[in-house]
Amino acid sequence: MSLSLTRRVALTVVTTLSLAGVAACSGSGGSAAVPPGAPGDSGTKAADAFAGAPVAAASEILPGSTMEKIKQRGELIVGGSLDAPLLSQQNPVTGEVEGFDADLGKLLAKYIIGQPKVKIVNAASETREALLSNGTVDVVFQTYTITPERAEQVAFAGPYYTSGLAVAVKKGTTGITKPEDLDGKTVIAGANTPAIPAIKKAAPNAKIVTFGSDPECVQALKQGRGVAYVQDQSLLVADGKNEPELQVVGEPFTTDPYGIGLKHGDDQMKKFVNDWLKKTQDAGLWQQAWKNSIGTVVQGEAPTPPAIGSVPGS
């Protein structure tokens, strides 16, 4: 998310927080097969996009590669979320998993298999590396910020999106307008996320309490277990659809590039996914996925995707 876009997001948050959304489905410890085009408006839009999405040539599916294994299986297994509004959330009516990350996963499946067949395995921020290394999932689409430290454990294609850390409080909270105001206070963050070192840098005397998922962090904030929650602004804006008590203060204070997590050392798969990502962007499908999800809340045109390979660790 570009800086100009994040400013637009900040301006949109007031409107967002007044919306009443459908309660998110819990994704704890489960997985979901994603229908390629379940009924419903978002499902129809996605199905239309998938109909014209590119499919890899047979020569690109190298013998013995991860891509070949996925194609033979007939299903892409994605480490992701079932309860992240606008990003990857299971629709309680259709059963379809909808959102920006979810749609990109379906588009990648279409590219490999010829059909957008995806199984989402619910992942937590502290389990993603293990799920990739032990082969439980093929890829991770889950607002997975690229860092040099993480790149020592997993490979990252992309970046495919850019966001930034922001601060959320319960509506009516005073005295917190910037990250430095968190000094000496109890602050909530996701376990194993870049928010932890960012809080320590901005507010060295803050007490940080961590939880394994975004819904758990939001619930902890509502319960008063911390005075603020630091998370990617894109997630906080999405949370605001369902939680009118949530208020985002100030603007993002970091720049966080999201990558597509892959098994460490799988250079063939990384090149393949980067090639797919470029084709998806050039075809306007990345932009359409954004408009169908984040763009329903954030005003304006889709942002320019970040340059592939543009950050350390990618």
Side-chain angles (χ1 to χ4, degrees), residues 5 49 55 87 153 161 191 200 205 208 227 231 265 274 291 297 309 312:
L5 177 62
V55 177
L87 297 163
Q153 301 180 65
Y161 197 65
K200 291 178 179 179
N205 297 311
I208 303 172
V227 297
Q231 178 58 280
N274 276 334
K291 289 178 182 178
V297 172

Side-chain angles (χ1 to χ4, degrees), residues 180-199:
E180 290 77 11
D181 294 333
L182 302 176
D183 209 34
K185 298 179 174 65
T186 300
V187 183
I188 298 162
N192 191 34
T193 67
I196 296 170
I199 295 168

Side-chain angles (χ1 to χ4, degrees), residues 15-105:
T15 302
T16 303
L17 295 178
S18 68
L19 300 175
V22 178
C25 293
S26 174
S28 300
S31 62
V34 181
D41 183 55
S42 61
T44 301
K45 291 178 181 178
D48 291 344
F50 302 147
V55 177
S59 60
E60 296 178 89
I61 308 295
L62 303 176
S65 65
T66 302
M67 301 84 77
E68 185 183 58
K69 293 175 184 176
I70 296 168
K71 186 169 185 177
Q72 290 175 347
R73 185 197 304 138
E75 183 179 63
L76 178 70
I77 302 177
V78 175
S81 300
L82 300 174
D83 52 13
L86 302 181
L87 297 163
S88 187
Q89 181 180 30
Q90 191 166 30
N91 185 309
V93 177
T94 67
E96 183 181 9
V97 183
E98 303 168 342
F100 184 61
D101 282 351
D103 279 357
L104 289 180

Side-chain angles (χ1 to χ4, degrees), residues 23-24 168-171 173 188 211 214-229 239-240 242-247:
V169 298
K170 288 179 68 174
K171 189 174 289 185
T173 300
I188 298 162
F211 299 89
D214 177 63
E216 288 176 288
C217 290
V218 172
Q219 185 66 17
L221 179 63
K222 291 168 62 178
Q223 294 171 343
R225 299 170 75 176
V227 297
Y229 171 32
D239 289 332
N242 296 333
E243 301 292 349
E245 296 177 52
L246 190 71
Q247 180 177 4

Side-chain angles (χ1 to χ4, degrees), residues 56 59-70 108 111-112 138-139 155-158 260 262-277:
S59 60
E60 296 178 89
I61 308 295
L62 303 176
S65 65
T66 302
M67 301 84 77
E68 185 183 58
K69 293 175 184 176
I70 296 168
L108 178 57
Y111 189 66
I112 299 172
D138 301 313
V139 299
F156 283 108
I260 303 164
L262 306 168
K263 189 171 185 176
H264 192 264
D266 194 343
D267 294 337
Q268 287 181 340
M269 183 64 170
K270 179 174 178 176
K271 181 181 184 305
F272 179 90
V273 175
N274 276 334
D275 290 345
W276 157 80
L277 181 58

